[in-house]
Amino acid sequence: MLILVAASLHLRHVPRDVGVPDLGPPGSRDRLAAGLARCQALGMKADGDPACAAIWTENRKRFFAPETAR
């Protein structure tokens, strides 16, 4: 149980000094798609990449956003 808690806290942590990359206007998915493809190509190395963490955060926000917010 302690390992699960530690792992979840570790995965939730995003360094504060990492800015969200410019992904273009909210309607544009091209830059987000390109960033996701780059992170996919990195494979396991993407876990330590702050840019990938920011891109995944933005992707989750867009995925879980209500339809009216899009």
Side-chain angles (χ1 to χ4, degrees), residues 22-32 58 62:
D22 179 32
L23 299 174
S28 172
R29 305 254 181 207
D30 293 338
R31 294 195 66 158
L32 180 61
E58 180 64 25
R62 291 183 183 190

Side-chain angles (χ1 to χ4, degrees), residues 9-10 14 16-17 44 59-60 70:
L9 289 175
H10 175 72
V14 176
R16 296 289 180 207
D17 59 344
M44 293 300 291
N59 190 49
R60 280 190 300 274
R70 292 182 186 173

Side-chain angles (χ1 to χ4, degrees), residues 36-67:
L36 289 169
R38 178 190 158 272
C39 294
Q40 183 180 14
L42 286 175
M44 293 300 291
K45 292 179 186 175
D47 284 342
D49 188 342
C52 288
I55 288 170
W56 292 329
T57 300
E58 180 64 25
N59 190 49
R60 280 190 300 274
K61 284 180 188 176
R62 291 183 183 190
F63 181 80
F64 290 114
E67 192 62 37

Side-chain angles (χ1 to χ4, degrees), residues 1-20:
M1 177 96 167
L2 182 60
I3 293 172
L4 290 174
V5 171
S8 67
L9 289 175
H10 175 72
L11 293 175
R12 284 182 25 173
H13 176 70
V14 176
R16 296 289 180 207
D17 59 344
V18 176
V20 176

